[in-house]
Amino acid sequence: MIDVTALTLEERQLVEARRAYAKAWRAKNPDKVKRHVENFLKKQAAKLLGADTVISANDETN
């Protein structure tokens, strides 16, 4: 995260506007955020376990 205390006023406003937009987007798209986090965690688990393939959501059957 960017330390806004060391930025100029214009740069600080840009960073804060970008953060506000991202926060609003995440609030409007919780399904996309959840899917992204799941994919990230699966990739991290695959790296940790040394697996060559990553399980996708479409491969899982219930």
Side-chain angles (χ1 to χ4, degrees), residues 18-33:
R18 195 176 311 130
R19 287 178 183 171
Y21 172 80
K23 183 177 181 178
W25 186 91
R26 287 189 303 271
K28 290 178 187 176
N29 298 287
D31 55 328
K32 291 180 182 180
V33 173

Side-chain angles (χ1 to χ4, degrees), residues 9-24:
L9 179 61
E10 293 88 15
E11 291 172 330
R12 185 177 307 143
Q13 289 174 338
L14 286 172
V15 169
E16 290 173 357
R18 195 176 311 130
R19 287 178 183 171
Y21 172 80
K23 183 177 181 178

Side-chain angles (χ1 to χ4, degrees), residues 35-53:
R35 206 168 45 230
H36 173 75
V37 170
E38 287 174 353
N39 289 337
F40 172 78
L41 292 176
K42 286 178 186 177
K43 288 179 184 180
Q44 292 300 312
K47 282 183 189 178
L48 184 64
L49 299 174
D52 293 334
T53 59

